[in-house]
Every structure is written in structure tokens, then in C-alpha cells.
């Protein structure tokens, strides 16, 4: 059932949660945080594009929420007495996607951005009601494509996929026009003098036309970073907003630290690309990585953490406070740092690989993946211990495991006990000097694999739908520029793993030893997949990110 007062087509079950009516007691509590004032018809309370928008509760009268597009306005919703304005940008301070205009005279309570944060941080009941409404409203805006940008792209373009992913994982609504499916699109392109070779094109706030823009350009255009003061010295800068970085942000901000998070792409990191995480505590039916990240992202903002879409390109470690240089040349000063930049799984150099990632191509072989391919033939790529373990594990349930390695044998790269198990397993075939050269499938479902033997030069096609790529992961540490001690695989050494020579090389002058998770630089911590010896899992990343904060407090008191 749709509500006649609403602009968006909503289901009745959600209306009460998206547009809840506050009780008089709740309204009194909100009023204590802000001011009450009269409003008149046609008065614009919020303009599209405004940053740090205020929050309004309607006491009497009516306020309409509109999406302006050129000279046209589309009604999104109408707020009557006991209802309130706002969605997630209320917490982030990002630009408003909509216009709020008074239609009937009355009274409103107004809270500015800081007062609003004060309210949600101190009133648990109202925090629950407001947060849920804000998140659900954003979900509705995304579903209805009510944003301030239009993306013109093609299903066959990697740039389009990247931008759609960036917008989706940043929870930013947009309208999408696909060149392949919309015949009228050429007129639109002509009106902006865009040739088809410049696709994808992003039309930002109806004004700026960006041709295949980088993520940072999109973030700048949408004002993601505008409300953030980049000049102040922070208590803590967290680099990376994967599970470990988001956990550090939530714990740091909720415990009163002034936290800035830098993320080059989208919140969620690797976990954000997982369609269903089944082994994270508290979610018995699983949760998509994106949902988990979106919740953590809003949670961090609720506690006052600031999120900057930016890439850290250098750590200036001989300076106190530390300085982090960003890709655009800006510099951020901070008293402590949590490095949570994760790792990037090495990928096979195949053109259409990303299409099948998570849908036939996997980077982990757990019980869950084993279930997906039980009774079927599978391929494991790699000759290291992780590949060996995966092959032995999968051989218990798969029909057959083909183990593809580039070298002529396993002896140099794998533990002897694993080699013996592989040799003794009738369901594992080792295929030396063999590489995957192509993969194929319908839609995004993998159904065949071509592999080539480099000695014979022969290429074979096999109808196999599951490939486990276990060729290792590279930590995202290049930007550290030699400042911090690394292990032999390039992951960051922390706590007890740091040897005296690591500390003297880094100029460690303190009488104490590094805390758990602390690197060879005092006050700089590493958590999650980027850390040497870490367990590459969401739960352990979250645990480390949270635990690091207790040591950050100690360092800040030193
Ligand atoms: C497809 C897939 C499925 C998975 N499924 C599961 C699962 O079901 N269960 C499970 O427990 N684990 C799973 N994992 C593993 C899990 O996702 C990782 O262990 C976890 O995400 C690690 O978290 P992290 O925060 O340490 O790093 P990441 O998730 O890698 O996040 C690092 C973040 O840092 C950002 N970053 C990197 N460099 C910079 C820079 N210079 N400046 C700014 N930002 C930067 C990146 O963009 C990224 O967002 C999966 C991994 C993948 C790839």
C-alpha cells in the first residue's frame, strides 16, 4: 500500500519506520538540544547542495521534501506534525540531496549538525529511531535513484562498473543510463558534446560533466570531503576503511578521540566485495559485506569520526606529530595512526576475471566455498602452502581437484607433509607448468576454463565452474616508503614480532617495548590483513581494530 502523502512508492510495513511519528516526550527531549521557531510557507529550510544541514522536527505545519532537477521539482515526501527531516548525510555533514520547503505555516525545532550529533550520542532511544529512519530513507533514495548525479555508461565498460561500485558502496544514490539499452541517450550526450569514446560520463549536480572520472574526482564533486577540516592535528588517523579500520574508528570515536579515517575507495574493503559473510559472529543467516560496512560506516559517523575519501601516498615519519601526505598533495597531521590498509589478493591476469569473482573464482577455501562446489570438479591455482591446504581440504568434498602450478614441481614452495598428502590423494591431480589463459561463462556465472601447458604449448578447454586462486596477497604498504619494519613477505611487523634491530633501525627511543599491534614507530599501529601474521578474516580484523584503540589511549597519555 502506498501513502498518498508520499512522493516515493513505499510499502506500508516500512512507512512507520521510515517516517516515524515522535511522541511528545521524545519531542521535548529533542527541543532541549536546539531551538524552536516559527516557519512560513515557501521558506526553504534546506537547499539541495547545502553542507552540514540542520535537523528539523515539525511541531505544527508541513514541510515538503523535493528533488530539484533543472527547473523541475519532484516530490520525495511531506513531513507533517511529529515527523522529522534528514537522512544519513545528517551525520556525515555531506551535501543535501534534496530541498526542504515549508508548505503550511507552523513551528519547528531546529538542531545544527553538532547539536544533532550530541543528541544521537546521548539519547539511546532517539538515536535508534533516527538512525534507523535515516538509513532506511537513504535506502529508499538509492532504490528510487533520487540523487544529484546521473551516470551514463555501458555494461561492457570497466570504468562504468568501477564508478557504479564506488557510488553504491559509498551509499550515494544516482540515476543510471545504459548506452546499450537507452536509445535516447545519444541526445543527452550530444547536448553535453560528449563522444561515445568518453564513456562513462558522470553528470554531477546537473552542472559538472566528468568524463571517466577517478574516484577522488567524484568525491570532490559530490563534496564528500568538504565538511572536513584537514588542517587540525588529529588524535588518531585511521588509514583504510575495511573492517579493521572501521572498527578502530568506531571504538576510537566512541571513546572520545578525534578520529579521521582516510579511504581511497569505498568503505568495507575486501569484505565489502563479499556477497555473504557467513562466519561473522552474530549474523546466523549471514550478512553481505556491503551491509556490514554500511552499518559500521554510519556507526563511526554517529560517534563523530570524520571520513575523508582520499589516498594516503606517504608517511612522513621523522616528524612529530606524524604527517600523512595525500594523493592531492594535502597533508594531515596526527598524534597517532592506525594503519588498516589491508591486502590485495593477487589476481590472474585475465580480462574478464572481475565478472566471476565470488561467482566461480574465489580467494579462500573455507567450509562455505567447499559447500558451493561439493561433488564438482574444481581448480586450485598456486603452489604455496595455502594452495596445498586448499587442495587437500577441497578434495574431501569435490569430485576432483586440478592443481595448476607454473613451476615444474612443488618441492621449492610447499611443505613436505602437504606434498605427500597431495601425492597420495586419488582426487587431486597436479598439473605442473600449467596456467589458466581464459575463463568463460553466461552472465557472471563461470562455466569453462582454458588452461595451457607451457612445455607442450597445448591449450585445453574444461567445463569447470570453480577456481580457487591461492597465489597469495600483497599488503598495501607501498605508501609507507620504508618508514616501518616489514616481515619477509612485506607485511607490517608489530609488537612481539619486532626484533631489537628493527627497533634500532627505526630509531625507537622509548624505554618500553612496542605494545601489541604497535609498529616500529611509536604510536603507529597496524591492524587487519596488512599486519604480518594476521588471520585474514573479518572477525579478526574487527578485533584488532578495536583492540588497537586501548593502546592508542596509552600512547596519547605518554
Ligand atoms: C571476496 C572476498 C570474500 C571474503 N569473505 C570472507 C568471509 O566470508 N569471512 C571472513 O571472515 N573473511 C572474508 N574475507 C577476508 C576479509 O574480507 C578480510 O580479511 C578483511 O576484509 C580484512 O580487513 P582489513 O580492514 O584488514 O583490510 P581490507 O578489507 O583489505 O580493507 C583495507 C582498506 O584500505 C583501503 N586502502 C588501501 N590502501 C589505502 C591508502 N593508501 N589510502 C587510503 N585507503 C587505503 C582499501 O581501499 C580498503 O578499503 C573475504 C575476502 C574477499 C576478498
Amino acid at each position: 500500500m502506498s501513502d498518498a502523502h508520499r512522493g516515493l512508492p513505499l510499502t506500508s510495513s516500512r512507512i512507520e519506520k521510515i517516517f516515524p511519528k515522535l511522541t511528545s516526550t521524545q519531542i521535548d527531549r529533542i527541543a532541549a538540544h536546539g531551538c524552536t521557531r516559527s516557519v512560513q510557507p515557501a521558506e526553504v529550510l534546506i537547499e539541495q547542495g547545502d553542507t552540514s544541514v540542520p535537523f528539523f522536527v515539525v511541531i505544527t505545519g508541513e514541510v515538503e521534501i523535493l528533488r530539484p532537477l533543472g527547473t523541475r521539482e519532484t516530490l520525495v515526501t511531506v513531513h507533517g506534525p511529529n515527523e522529522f527531516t534528514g537522512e544519513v548525510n545528517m551525520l556525515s555533514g555531506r551535501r543535501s540531496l534534496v530541498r526542504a520547503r515549508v508548505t503550511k505555516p507552523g513551528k519547528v525545532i531546529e538542531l545544527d549538525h553538532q547539536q544533532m550529533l550530541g543528541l544521537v550520542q546521548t539519547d539511546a532511544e532517539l538515536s535508534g529511531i533516527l538512525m534507523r529512519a535515516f538509513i532506511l530513507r537513504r535506502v529508499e533514495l538509492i532504490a528510487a535513484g533520487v540523487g544529484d548525479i546521473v551516470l551514463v555508461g555501458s555494461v561492457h565498460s570497466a570504468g562504468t562498473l568501477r564508478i557504479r561500485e564506488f557510488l553504491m558502496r559509498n551509499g550515494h544514490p544516482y540515476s543510471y543510463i545504459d548506452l546499450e539499452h537507452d536509445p535516447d541517450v545519444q541526445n543527452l550526450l550530444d547536448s553535453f558534446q560528449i563522444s561515445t569514446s568518453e564513456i562513462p560520463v558522470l553528470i554531477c549536480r546537473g552542472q559538472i560533466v566528468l568524463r571517466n572520472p577517478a574516484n577522488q574526482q567524484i568525491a570532490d564533486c559530490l563534496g564528500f570531503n568538504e565538511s572536513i577540516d584537514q588542517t587540525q592535528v588529529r588524535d588518531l588517523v585511521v588509514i583504510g576503511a575495511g573492517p579493521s579500520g572501521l572498527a578502530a574508528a568506531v571504538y576510537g570515536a566512541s571513546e572520545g578521540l578525534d578520529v579521521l579515517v582516510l579511504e581511497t575507495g569505498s568503505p568495507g574493503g575486501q569484505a565489502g566485495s563479499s556477497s555473504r559473510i557467513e562466519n561473522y559472529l552474530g549474523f546466523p543467516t549471514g550478512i553481505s559485506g556491503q551491509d556490514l560496512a554500511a552499518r559500521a560506516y554510519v556507526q563511526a559517523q554517529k560517534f563523530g569520526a570524520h571520513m575523508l575519501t582520499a589516498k594516503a601516498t606517504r608517511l612522513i615519519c621523522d616528524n612529530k606529530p606524524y604527517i600523512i601526505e595525500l594523493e592531492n598533495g594535502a597533508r594531515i597531521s596526527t598524534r597517532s595512526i592506525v594503519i588498516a590498509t589491508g591486502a590485495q589478493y593477487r589476481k590472474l591476469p585475465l580480462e574478464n576475471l572481475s565478472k566471476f569473482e565470488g561467482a566461480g573464482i574465489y580467494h579462500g577455501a573455507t567450509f562455505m566455498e567447499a559447500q558451493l562446489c561439493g561433488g564438482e570438479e574444481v581448480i586450485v591455482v598456486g603452489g604455496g602452502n595455502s594452495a596445498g591446504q586448499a587442495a587437500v581440504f577441497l578434495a574431501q568434498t569435490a569430485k576432483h581437484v586440478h592443481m595448476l602450478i607454473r613451476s615444474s614441481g612443488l618441492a621449492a614452495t610447499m611443505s613436505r607433509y602437504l606434498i605427500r598428502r597431495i601425492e597420495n590423494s586419488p582426487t587431486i591431480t597436479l598439473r605442473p607448468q600449467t596456467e589458466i589463459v581464459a575463463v568463460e561463462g553466461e552472465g557472471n556465472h563461470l562455466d569453462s576454463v582454458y588452461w595451457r601447458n607451457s612445455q607442450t604449448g597445448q591449450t585445453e578447454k574444461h567445463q569447470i565452474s570453480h577456481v580457487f586462486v591461492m597465489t597469495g596477497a600483497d599488503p598495501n604498504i607501498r605508501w609507507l616508503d620504508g618508514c616501518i619494519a616489514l616481515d619477509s613477505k612485506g607485511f607490517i611487523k608489530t609488537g612481539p614480532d619486532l626484533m631489537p634491530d628493527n627497533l634500532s633501525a627505526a630509531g625507537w627511543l622509548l624505554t618500553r617495548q612496542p605494545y601489541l599491534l604497535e609498529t616500529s614507530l611509536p604510536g603507529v599501529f597496524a591492524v587487519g590483513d596488512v599486519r604480518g601474521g594476521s588471520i585474514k578474516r573479518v572477525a579478526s580484523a574487527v578485533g584488532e581494530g578495536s583492540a588497537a584503540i586501548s593502546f592508542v589511549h596509552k600512547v596519547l597519555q605518554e
Side-chain angles (χ1 to χ4, degrees):
M1 189 184 81
S2 69
D3 182 334
H5 284 93
R6 309 292 181 196
L8 292 178
L10 302 167
T11 54
S12 60
S13 63
R14 300 192 97 190
I15 283 174
E16 281 173 19
K17 289 181 177 142
I18 301 174
F19 300 109
K21 287 202 183 288
L22 299 168
T23 64
S24 54
T25 330
Q26 290 165 342
I27 290 177
D28 288 346
R29 297 212 303 271
I30 295 174
H33 285 261
C35 67
T36 305
R37 68 177 179 92
S38 302
V39 287
Q40 298 306 321
E43 185 178 339
V44 174
L45 301 179
I46 300 164
E47 187 51 275
Q48 188 187 42
D50 282 356
T51 48
S52 295
V53 290
F55 168 75
F56 294 96
V57 178
V58 181
I59 299 173
T60 55
E62 208 170 72
V63 175
E64 60 182 357
I65 304 297
L66 305 154
R67 176 206 191 186
L69 199 67
T71 52
R72 279 189 13 239
E73 288 177 331
T74 311
L75 181 68
V76 176
T77 192
V78 179
H79 294 303
N82 297 24
E83 294 185 347
F84 54 88
T85 63
E87 50 98 34
V88 287
N89 61 5
M90 202 84 255
L91 303 171
S92 63
R94 289 181 180 174
R95 286 173 184 275
S96 174
L97 301 172
V98 294
R99 175 179 293 156
R101 190 169 53 206
V102 178
T103 44
K104 288 186 188 163
K107 274 193 174 162
V108 295
I109 302 170
E110 179 173 349
L111 270 66
D112 67 23
H113 182 63
Q114 282 310 320
Q115 291 168 327
M116 177 65 194
L117 283 180
L119 173 69
V120 294
Q121 285 167 14
T122 52
D123 192 315
E125 187 204 15
L126 281 167
S127 170
I129 295 168
L130 300 184
M131 297 286 283
R132 186 176 57 194
F134 291 163
I135 292 169
L136 292 176
R137 286 176 191 180
R138 178 54 73 104
V139 169
E140 293 294 330
L141 291 176
I142 290 172
V146 179
D148 46 1
I149 48 176
V150 179
L151 178 68
V152 183
S154 155
V155 279
H156 305 300
S157 119
T160 303
L161 186 68
R162 172 181 57 81
I163 294 173
R164 293 188 79 173
E165 242 171 45
F166 177 76
L167 293 170
M168 187 185 70
R169 288 179 58 186
N170 274 287
H172 197 92
Y174 64 99
S175 307
Y176 176 61
I177 301 172
D178 196 297
L179 269 175
E180 322 297 322
H181 299 122
D182 198 325
D184 293 332
V185 79
Q186 200 54 53
N187 299 337
L188 183 93
L189 293 183
D190 291 347
S191 66
F192 284 99
Q193 288 151 14
I194 296 163
S195 72
T196 38
S197 64
E198 293 172 303
I199 296 301
V201 165
L202 192 122
I203 302 164
C204 188
R205 293 188 278 124
Q207 298 159 1
I208 304 159
V209 178
L210 300 171
R211 292 157 167 83
N212 196 9
N215 293 348
Q216 173 92 53
Q217 277 177 286
I218 303 171
D220 287 346
C221 176
L222 293 174
F224 280 7
N225 298 337
E226 267 172 12
S227 55
I228 296 169
D229 180 359
Q230 297 183 29
T231 57
Q232 92 192 54
V233 180
R234 303 282 174 172
D235 290 336
L236 170 65
V237 170
V238 178
I239 305 163
S244 63
L246 287 171
V250 168
Y251 277 77
S254 69
E255 291 173 17
L257 300 180
D258 166 30
V259 180
L260 176 69
V261 182
L262 308 177
E263 169 55 55
T264 180
S266 321
Q270 297 169 65
S273 64
S274 169
S275 58
R276 189 149 291 268
I277 297 167
E278 304 255 12
N279 57 355
Y280 190 58
L281 189 74
F283 294 91
T285 55
I287 180 166
S288 79
Q290 212 196 319
D291 277 353
L292 187 68
R295 288 173 195 213
Y297 192 58
V298 173
Q299 197 176 10
Q301 288 177 324
K302 165 184 145 175
F303 288 120
H306 297 276
M307 305 287 183
L308 195 66
T309 306
K311 182 172 189 169
T313 48
R314 196 171 151 225
L315 171 62
I316 301 175
C317 46
D318 50 8
N319 198 80
K320 283 286 183 71
Y322 293 117
I323 294 175
I324 298 157
E325 208 167 79
L326 309 183
E327 200 169 25
N328 64 2
R331 290 174 156 217
I332 308 274
S333 301
T334 179
R335 286 183 274 272
S336 69
I337 296 175
V338 169
I339 300 172
T341 47
Q344 198 116 37
Y345 279 90
R346 283 183 215 133
K347 302 193 173 191
L348 295 177
L350 302 173
E351 215 174 83
N352 55 350
L353 181 85
S354 59
K355 211 168 99 175
F356 302 116
E357 282 203 295
I361 294 188
Y362 315 99
H363 296 286
T366 66
F367 177 69
M368 206 176 68
E369 285 93 0
Q371 276 184 319
L372 294 175
C373 52
E376 295 185 45
E377 285 188 57
V378 305
I379 295 172
V380 173
V381 183
N385 276 351
S386 59
Q389 281 163 3
V392 170
F393 174 65
L394 292 166
Q396 297 167 26
T397 47
K399 184 176 167 195
H400 200 87
V401 179
H402 302 270
M403 207 171 171
L404 272 51
I405 57 168
R406 271 195 303 198
S407 61
S408 55
L410 294 172
T413 51
M414 195 181 286
S415 300
R416 190 65 221 144
Y417 81 96
L418 281 170
I419 298 177
R420 219 171 296 130
R421 283 188 201 168
I422 288 165
E423 284 168 352
N424 291 338
S425 171
T427 43
I428 304 178
T429 305
L430 182 69
R431 299 188 179 278
Q433 293 166 309
T434 305
E435 282 180 69
I436 293 182
V437 289
V439 286
E440 268 179 6
E442 277 288 312
N444 62 356
H445 186 78
L446 177 72
D447 56 40
S448 0
V449 176
Y450 295 77
W451 71 55
R452 183 175 172 277
N453 183 297
S454 59
Q455 214 182 21
T456 62
Q458 210 178 351
T459 300
E460 296 171 22
K461 178 181 180 182
H462 292 265
Q463 301 232 286
I464 294 179
S465 306
H466 306 282
V467 178
F468 292 82
V469 183
M470 316 295 292
T471 47
D474 296 318
N476 291 318
I477 44 88
R478 237 179 305 163
W479 62 281
L480 288 172
D481 209 15
C483 266
I484 282 178
L486 306 175
D487 68 15
S488 57
K489 292 178 183 152
F491 289 83
I492 299 176
K493 276 189 164 185
T494 55
D497 291 344
L498 286 160
M499 297 292 123
D501 57 323
N502 296 136
L503 298 180
S504 57
W508 183 275
L509 296 174
L510 303 178
T511 48
R512 69 164 174 83
Q513 289 300 298
Y515 293 122
L516 193 75
L517 306 172
E518 195 171 21
T519 68
S520 54
L521 282 180
V524 178
F525 297 82
V527 295
D529 281 15
V530 75
R531 197 179 67 78
S534 64
I535 295 156
K536 310 286 186 278
R537 285 285 172 260
V538 174
S540 49
V542 167
E544 290 185 11
S546 322
I549 296 306
S550 61
F551 302 114
V552 168
H553 284 297
K554 289 187 182 182
V555 164
L556 292 177
Q557 281 161 15
E558 277 175 355

